Amino acid sequence: MESLNSSLDSVIVWISLARDGEVGERLLYPSSRMNPLQEDMESALTGSQSPHASLRDVHSINPTHLMARIESYEGREKKGISDVRRTFCLFVTFDLLFVTLLWIIELNVNGGIENTLEKEVVQYDYYSSYFDIFLLAVFRFKVLILAYAVCRLRHWWAIALTTAVTSAFLLAKVILSKLFSQGAFGYVLPIISFLLAWIETWFLDFKVLPQEAEEENRLLIVQDASERAALIPGGLSDGQFYSPPESEAGSEEEAEEKQDSEKPLLEL
């Protein structure tokens, strides 16, 4: 009789908890026979909640935001050249203008522009003239602007060519020429030209090309997300979707399960 009373008490506790909607949240059943039923109901509750969560995640995609992102990337493509590439082209132009300015100052310092220009250009001497350093800056400017502004290359071979030619020429000129005996410009012009060439290489290889590749990958990701979102019928706005409320306790299926679980206990 005591075992029967304890079983009946556990059934009463289970029924009261089921009516209060707390099944699957508390473990207050003294009988070990109730544990499998409790685990089944907990798994059913969690299983019913997971589709709603995943459905909310899918429907949380905002088509307006996606279209804005796509339009922003397409606008950058229509401009023809990215901002970071434009900055690189400006720096290449600065390279040419800065070397030209230094060379003009050197011409004025050494006896006037006309006389020194005739001496360095008409009577060119590899060992004492700065005219070849100016021509080296012109060479870098033409190759880099043609490759990365006109042709819009996305490879490093053009900058590698200009940097290699510049470095080899300047090293040979510094070793073989007599520039150091002509004052400060014998040091300034080769060093400045060498540094500018390597700064251009660093800027293109570590800034321009990686950033443009990253923007292209983002555009592909956004386009792929928009294509997936278009496959979902009925729109994608948050207000058009809602999670249905959980079924109330005491439904017909739960009532049948209660009756099936009460029968073996009452037979005791």
Side-chain angles (χ1 to χ4, degrees):
M1 294 296 292
E2 293 180 357
S3 60
L4 180 60
N5 292 332
S6 61
S7 301
L8 291 175
D9 292 338
S10 62
V11 172
I12 293 171
V13 171
W14 182 81
I15 294 172
S16 61
L17 291 176
R19 290 177 179 176
D20 294 336
E22 297 179 356
V23 175
E25 297 181 359
R26 298 183 181 180
L27 301 176
L28 299 177
Y29 307 101
S31 176
S32 60
R33 296 182 181 180
M34 302 303 296
N35 291 333
L37 180 60
Q38 177 188 357
E39 293 176 357
D40 294 339
M41 296 186 69
E42 289 179 356
S43 61
L45 288 174
T46 55
S48 62
Q49 291 176 359
S50 58
H52 301 318
S54 61
L55 190 62
R56 285 194 300 267
D57 294 337
V58 172
H59 295 317
S60 61
I61 301 174
N62 192 342
T64 305
H65 179 66
L66 286 176
M67 292 304 298
R69 292 282 297 275
I70 294 175
E71 290 177 358
S72 64
Y73 286 120
E74 289 179 350
R76 294 177 185 176
E77 293 293 332
K78 290 179 181 179
K79 289 192 299 184
I81 186 170
S82 62
D83 295 336
V84 65
R85 187 179 288 260
R86 186 184 300 108
T87 304
F88 172 76
C89 294
L90 289 175
F91 187 79
V92 172
T93 306
F94 167 78
D95 177 12
L96 174 63
L97 296 178
F98 190 58
V99 172
T100 303
L101 178 64
L102 291 177
W103 183 52
I104 293 174
I105 294 174
E106 184 270 333
L107 293 176
N108 276 326
V109 169
N110 293 331
I113 295 179
E114 295 181 359
N115 296 331
T116 310
L117 190 63
E118 181 180 358
K119 179 181 178 180
E120 292 193 2
V121 177
V122 178
Q123 303 174 1
Y124 171 74
D125 185 9
Y126 174 78
Y127 297 98
S128 61
S129 177
Y130 296 98
F131 179 61
D132 48 10
I133 297 179
F134 166 74
L135 291 180
L136 199 60
V138 175
F139 165 74
R140 288 197 304 271
F141 175 80
K142 288 185 177 181
V143 173
L144 296 179
I145 293 299
L146 178 64
Y148 297 109
V150 179
C151 299
R152 300 171 191 171
L153 293 181
R154 294 189 176 183
H155 200 272
W156 47 263
W157 67 264
I159 192 73
L161 174 64
T162 58
T163 304
V165 171
T166 300
S167 301
F169 183 85
L170 290 176
L171 288 175
K173 190 173 183 65
V174 168
I175 294 172
L176 300 176
S177 66
K178 303 176 182 178
L179 296 178
F180 296 151
S181 61
Q182 299 181 13
F185 285 99
Y187 300 89
V188 173
L189 275 173
I191 293 175
I192 292 297
S193 183
F194 185 84
L195 289 178
L196 290 175
W198 279 98
I199 291 174
E200 290 167 355
T201 304
W202 171 85
F203 190 79
L204 179 76
D205 197 23
F206 289 93
K207 295 294 182 179
V208 178
L209 299 181
Q211 185 169 337
E212 289 183 347
E214 184 178 358
E215 290 180 356
E216 185 177 358
N217 291 334
R218 288 177 181 175
L219 176 59
L220 295 176
I221 292 173
V222 172
Q223 288 179 347
D224 183 61
S226 64
E227 291 176 358
R228 292 183 181 180
L231 298 177
I232 301 176
L236 297 173
S237 60
D238 296 337
Q240 295 178 358
F241 295 94
Y242 62 93
S243 299
E246 298 179 359
S247 59
E248 298 180 357
S251 61
E252 295 180 359
E253 295 179 357
E254 293 180 353
E256 292 178 357
E257 293 179 356
K258 292 177 185 179
Q259 292 177 0
D260 294 338
S261 60
E262 291 176 1
K263 286 180 179 180
L265 293 176
L266 293 176
E267 290 178 356
L268 294 175

